[in-house]
Amino acid sequence: MSYRAWFQCINLECGATYPLNSIIYNCKRCNSLLEVQHDTKQLARRSAAAWKKLFEARYKTTQWPFGSGIWGKKEWVLPEIADDNIVSLYEGGTNLFWAERFGKLLGLDNLWVKLCGNTHSGSFKDLGMTVLVSQVKQMIAEGAPIKAVACASTGDTSAALAAYCAAAGIPSIVLLPKGKISIAQLVQPIANDALVLSLDTDFDGCMKVVQEITKDETIYLANSMNSLRVEGQKTVGIEVVQQFDWHVPDVFIIPGGNLGNVSALGKGLLMMRDLGLIHKLPRIVVAQAQRANPLYRSYRKKFKSFEPMQAGKTLASAIQIGNPVSIEKAIRTLKQFDGIVEHATESELANAAELGDRMGMFNCPHTGVALAALIKLVKRGQIARSERVVIISTAHGLKFTEFKVRYHERQLDFPCRYANRPIELPPRVEAVREALQYALKRRSRLRV
Ligand SMILES: *Cc1c(COP(=O)(O)O)cnc(C)c1O
Ligand SMILES: [Zn+2]
């Protein structure tokens, strides 16, 4: 069977379409964002049961490229790509962590954390980058004049872009806000052979520059306004539902910055519903840092207006974004999914992340934002005890060790309630025994 996909303008009154191998990021007619549209009629010729069976058979198989969480769902993602052009680092298929202890502490029976950071470059950005770089490889093979792929980044996009491009032998260019990303995030594109440009501005400033640079068609734009990435990222919700034997959870909580990922989550779930794999939709909660909360402000006004803001400095550096590119898509998604937007202060996000760690997780600050939102919604009664809740954890905690070290050394400007400091001792058995006796007696119960 031959499936087809194309770019389509998200503005319903326009609806212009373009082939996926055109070098285009906005609608030429009305300048709106584009999205990938699939031939749903053709896809619907295969039954829901048959799709489930196919996806299950491919899940984590060694048969290349189908063992990838993305390419196991190839027909729903990029149906027309040649297998030879797929650039995959075996992304997706990540652990769905049962946060039993953390859930119990909040009075929840059914709390899960989707660990999207347990992947090649350490963040969910791999899910979209495999799709974008594969499409670029195919376009180069067809003779497109692309010399390099470029992005602006708060750290994780550049790490993923550099890794996939290096694996494929395609040059990459990354524009980073100087001094605003972690060392781990900075060293990744350096190690993976990217041309690294450090600009004395913030993410929004880098984004403006890269949009100008990529007007030259020989430099392809890899930011999430390029909707190819959304196609890969949309598999996350599908994969979670598959991991629950095709049962839909009640609530997803996802941290949001540029808002591509929440749009992607919604897109995958809608596709499943339209093709009959599921029959209800979950609620979606977007969690933002209070210092970079333009979506939250718009939500409080019932989305009647939206104003970009200057994002303040936040520990959740990957979502320090004041002018999100995918704002329209995100609002549309929230309206379809009975959405909620919640925000978290620096103290709330850091303490939530580290409370989670004390219960076996290893959270990045963005996952901390989502956990802080969860705590607030449970306290307010907006999430019920019996509901099955899934937190989208967006990056691996090891990318943010400076944050954790400062937290546990109590060097942040708020009370670090769950700090755990090493005890320095002389190397004598008696000293250790004494310290243990004291410390084990003193261990207090953790509270939210
Ligand atoms: C990119 C990123 C986000 C935000 O995703 P958006 O699609 O920009 O909303 C959140 N957390 C981490 C760790 C990220 O890298
Ligand atoms: Zn248009």
Side-chain angles (χ1 to χ4, degrees), residues 269-287:
L269 293 164
L270 288 174
M271 198 162 173
M272 267 199 293
R273 187 200 57 186
D274 294 345
L275 291 168
L277 279 73
I278 59 173
H279 303 289
K280 69 160 202 175
L281 295 178
R283 273 183 299 154
I284 293 181
V285 179
V286 175

Side-chain angles (χ1 to χ4, degrees), residues 124-125 156 255-261 318-319 366 394-395:
F124 78 84
K125 299 295 199 293
D156 292 327
N258 227 356
L259 305 176
N261 209 24
I319 55 175
H366 322 86
T394 46

Side-chain angles (χ1 to χ4, degrees), residues 256 286-297 300 309-316 319-322 341-350 365-366 368-370 372-373 376 380:
V286 175
Q288 292 207 295
Q290 196 171 75
R291 290 185 178 164
N293 64 353
L295 181 68
Y296 176 80
R297 293 175 189 208
R300 294 303 301 252
M309 63 184 279
Q310 179 77 40
K313 188 169 169 55
T314 168
L315 292 163
I319 55 175
Q320 188 174 319
I321 295 174
V341 186
E342 188 49 81
H343 65 175
T345 64
E346 296 301 290
S347 154
E348 286 166 343
L349 74 89
H366 322 86
V369 174
K376 288 175 149 176
R380 239 187 271 133

Side-chain angles (χ1 to χ4, degrees), residues 108-177:
L108 294 176
D109 298 327
N110 220 331
L111 177 63
W112 303 77
V113 184
K114 178 66 170 164
L115 296 176
C116 299
N118 290 6
T119 174
H120 183 81
S121 81
S123 88
F124 78 84
K125 299 295 199 293
D126 289 0
L127 302 179
M129 213 50 88
T130 181
V131 176
L132 184 137
V133 175
S134 299
Q135 178 65 33
V136 168
K137 190 172 172 193
Q138 175 139 321
M139 286 155 70
I140 292 174
E142 289 168 355
I146 298 170
K147 288 202 203 110
V149 186
C151 74
S153 175
T154 52
D156 292 327
T157 300
S158 53
L161 177 66
Y164 281 85
C165 282
I170 299 168
S172 65
I173 303 166
V174 308
L175 283 72
L176 301 171

